[in-house]
């Protein structure tokens, strides 16, 4: 029997213009979705759903629609994310044993376009639900003072499932498959392990990421943390938006006196533009059946991040009503779009099989959808990139991947993974030079 939830949203005063929601990042088991100081931060848990396998999205959608339909929701705001909301993380692969999940927090603090609120949700039919109870429940969570972590002499970076040499060999094998005409693109990922001498402070890591990568979406769901630059799909009042990235250039090796370097090397590269076009075509092809109109950049733009430049394109679409007369929810679109060529390859079925063969690892939630949805069908789902999984307080597994196409060079792709590890390594205050970056498997 499904629990009946009661939810109350209370508008509150404005947040600090300097740090916004970052002041609420205090817990190591925090739920978070933050960009430029705005978004949602969750505390506690009122309901949870888990599922794995090919039907994980459909099962979660069915659970959420029933839960939201039965819930008693009092929400004076019309802001996306207000009212009853859930955070979610889904496994990359339908074969993965990873349990995809939706979590309804007890308390959500939200901020959007100058509007800030607290939402309290409870499954207890006898619990008080009022503006006073919402603030009191929040204060109890904020009483927990985060413990900052200092770099430890025992901190180490260890190899993951594959050594660097083994992973470069996997890239070479991928190129051979592409040259043989088996597929046009594959995204290969690798992992490394941060072995820490003292327990990780997830709240501290999230604050660092949210401050350094303000234009990205900083996320945290059940130990999956990171700051992604890629929006799989955002749905707001019947309009869907996506940001597609493919093509990467490391800023650490860029000449200091050449302002046109990223435009020339990225936008001027046939290889990079080919990789990007495959990713755009993959997304728009899958999104088109759900739309009445769609627009995207005719030319990709160069997105500047602190660690890298990317070729990027934004897509916007008006959603069309389905057979039931309603527009598709954000989670329904996630199911239709995942996995895109940006994180899998093309054709996706061929790339997916080859990924399993060459990576020798279960990606778990890495490169899967992560984000939130509300009872009105709005939501934001990024791709879980530039992130890590906290396996235990002293073990953090980091992931990074590269799009492999004809002409990809294994050594250059390996260097690109290190540029993509950099956001998490910096937030963990780890120095790559102190780590073992090759050799035996962890």
């Amino acid at each position: 029997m499904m629990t009946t939830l009661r939810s109350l949203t209370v508008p509150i005063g404005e947040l600090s213009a300097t740090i916004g929601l970052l002041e609420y990042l205090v817990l190591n088991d925090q739920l978070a979705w933050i960009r430029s100081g705005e978004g949602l931060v969750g505390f506690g848990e009122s309901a949870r759903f888990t599922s794995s396998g090919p039907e994980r999205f459909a099962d979660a959608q069915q659970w959420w629609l029933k839960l939201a339909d039965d819930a008693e929701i009092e929400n004076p705001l019309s802001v996306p994310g207000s009212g009853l909301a859930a955070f979610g993380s889904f496994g990359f692969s339908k074969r993965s044993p990873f349990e995809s999940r939706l979590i309804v927090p007890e308390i959500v603090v939200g901020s959007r376009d100058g509007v800030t609120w607290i939402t309290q949700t409870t499954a207890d039919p006898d619990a008080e639900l009022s503006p006073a109870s919402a603030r009191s429940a929040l204060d109890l969570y904020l009483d927990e003072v985060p413990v900052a972590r200092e770099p430890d002499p025992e901190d180490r970076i260890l190899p993951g499932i594959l050594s660097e040499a083994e992973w470069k060999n996997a890239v070479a094998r991928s190129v051979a498959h592409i040259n043989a005409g088996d597929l046009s693109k594959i995204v290969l990922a690798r992992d490394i392990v941060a072995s820490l001498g003292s327990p990780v402070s997830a709240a501290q890591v999230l604050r660092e990421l949210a401050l350094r990568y303000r234009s990205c979406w900083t996320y945290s769901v059940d130990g999956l943390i990171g700051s992604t630059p890629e929006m799989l799909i955002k749905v707001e009042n019947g309009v869907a938006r996506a940001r597609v990235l493919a093509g990467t250039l490391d800023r650490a090796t860029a000449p200091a006196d050449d302002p046109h370097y990223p435009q020339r090397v990225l936008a001027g590269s046939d290889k990079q533009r080919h990789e990007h076009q495959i990713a755009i075509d993959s997304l728009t092809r899958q999104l088109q059946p759900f739309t009445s109109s769609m627009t995207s950049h005719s030319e990709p733009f160069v997105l500047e991040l602190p660690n890298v430049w990317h070729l990027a394109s934004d897509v916007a679409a008006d959603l069309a009503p389905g057979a039931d007369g309603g527009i598709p929810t954000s989670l329904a679109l996630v199911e239709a779009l995942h996995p895109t060529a940006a994180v899998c390859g093309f054709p996706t079925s061929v790339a997916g099989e080859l990924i399993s063969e060459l990576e020798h690892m279960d990606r778990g939630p890495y490169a899967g959808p992560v984000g939130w949805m509300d009872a009105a069908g709005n939501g934001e789902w990024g791709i879980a990139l530039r992130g890590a999984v906290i396996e235990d307080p002293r073990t953090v597994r980091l992931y990074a991947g590269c799009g492999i196409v004809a002409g990809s060079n294994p050594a250059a792709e390996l260097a690109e993974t290190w540029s993509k590890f950099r956001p998490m390594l910096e937030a963990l205050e780890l120095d790559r030079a102190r780590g073992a970056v090759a050799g035996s498997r962890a």
Side-chain angles (χ1 to χ4, degrees):
M1 183 176 177
M2 184 173 286
T3 301
T4 299
L5 298 181
R6 296 184 299 134
S7 177
L8 172 67
T9 296
V10 181
I12 59 175
E14 293 185 2
L15 300 179
S16 163
T18 305
I19 61 174
L21 283 176
L22 273 64
E23 66 180 290
Y24 291 97
L25 295 176
V26 297
L27 304 179
N28 282 334
D29 58 352
Q30 196 92 55
L31 293 158
W33 181 265
I34 297 176
R35 184 176 191 243
S36 298
E38 294 190 333
L40 303 173
V41 172
F43 302 84
E45 183 175 316
S46 292
R48 170 185 290 255
F49 176 83
T50 60
S51 180
S52 58
E55 303 302 317
R56 62 199 186 282
F57 298 111
D59 290 345
Q61 165 97 333
Q62 183 179 9
W63 177 83
W64 175 248
L65 291 177
K66 180 68 166 63
L67 188 79
D69 187 57
D70 290 346
E72 300 173 10
I73 303 171
E74 185 177 343
N75 177 19
L77 305 176
S78 58
V79 180
S82 63
L84 185 68
F87 290 77
S89 166
F90 288 82
F92 171 81
S93 172
K94 63 184 179 182
R95 299 187 187 93
S96 174
F98 173 80
E99 287 194 331
S100 300
R101 73 258 346 243
L102 288 176
I103 303 169
V104 180
E106 178 192 2
I107 293 290
V108 173
V109 180
S111 180
R112 184 184 179 95
D113 300 330
V115 180
T116 306
W117 66 90
I118 303 173
T119 297
Q120 182 181 16
T121 302
T122 181
D124 182 352
D126 299 319
E128 179 189 359
L129 206 58
S130 67
S133 71
R135 292 175 182 272
S136 177
L138 175 61
D139 287 342
L140 287 176
Y141 287 111
L142 296 180
D143 280 345
E144 298 192 32
V145 179
V147 178
R149 179 185 178 275
E150 299 295 332
D152 190 289
E154 298 301 315
D155 291 346
R156 291 290 183 271
I157 303 170
L158 304 176
I161 300 299
L162 296 181
S163 69
E164 290 190 340
E166 289 169 329
W167 192 79
K168 286 193 292 183
N169 181 58
V171 174
R173 290 175 61 191
S174 298
V175 174
H177 279 281
I178 292 169
N179 291 338
D182 299 334
L183 70 171
S184 57
K185 175 184 176 179
I186 182 173
V187 179
L188 274 191
R190 59 184 286 255
D191 63 332
I192 57 175
V193 177
S195 178
L196 305 178
S198 57
V200 63
S201 170
Q204 181 182 9
V205 171
L206 290 172
R207 286 194 298 270
E208 291 289 335
L209 290 171
L211 282 170
R212 297 180 187 184
Y213 294 84
R214 288 180 60 84
S215 64
C216 295
W217 292 269
T218 296
Y219 58 87
S220 175
V221 179
D222 263 15
L224 172 68
I225 59 175
S227 197
T228 182
E230 190 151 1
M231 175 63 72
L232 175 62
I233 199 71
K234 171 183 178 179
V235 174
E236 179 180 327
N237 300 325
V239 177
R241 302 182 188 277
R243 170 162 288 182
V244 180
L245 308 181
T248 304
L249 186 60
D250 191 351
R251 295 190 63 182
T253 57
D257 57 350
D258 187 351
H260 303 294
Y261 175 75
Q263 185 69 31
R264 186 177 69 255
V265 176
L266 277 179
S269 165
D270 289 340
K271 170 187 174 296
Q272 302 280 17
R273 290 180 69 93
H274 174 60
E275 179 186 345
H276 187 80
Q277 193 61 48
I278 291 173
I280 277 287
D281 290 345
S282 168
L283 181 129
T284 55
R285 186 185 305 111
Q286 296 300 109
L287 184 60
Q288 192 276 330
F290 298 91
T291 68
S292 56
S293 65
M294 183 162 49
T295 59
S296 64
H297 291 110
S298 57
E299 290 287 323
F301 62 93
V302 175
L303 176 67
E304 179 179 328
L305 299 176
N307 60 323
V308 296
W309 290 287
H310 286 295
L311 275 185
S313 292
D314 288 338
V315 176
D318 293 319
L319 296 174
D324 62 356
I327 62 170
T329 67
S330 61
L331 192 52
L333 295 180
V334 166
E335 180 177 19
L337 296 174
H338 178 78
T340 66
V343 293
C344 182
F346 188 80
T348 54
S349 58
V350 178
E353 292 292 335
L354 199 55
I355 284 171
S356 298
E357 175 186 335
L358 296 177
E359 288 184 352
H360 295 282
M361 69 176 181
D362 178 7
R363 290 185 177 185
Y366 167 73
V370 61
W372 62 269
M373 64 187 303
D374 66 18
N378 301 306
E380 294 181 273
W381 296 94
I383 300 174
L385 305 175
R386 310 296 191 274
V389 173
I390 301 174
E391 296 184 340
D392 63 55
R394 296 174 187 264
T395 307
V396 183
R397 190 172 297 270
L398 288 68
Y399 296 86
C402 298
I404 311 301
V405 294
S408 290
N409 176 275
E413 301 298 340
L414 180 69
E416 183 177 316
T417 63
W418 280 109
S419 71
K420 293 174 175 177
F421 284 133
R422 195 179 306 137
M424 281 300 307
L425 289 174
E426 290 175 345
L428 289 164
E429 297 188 81
L430 293 177
D431 181 357
R432 174 187 168 189
R434 293 175 57 193
V437 297
S440 61
R441 295 179 180 145

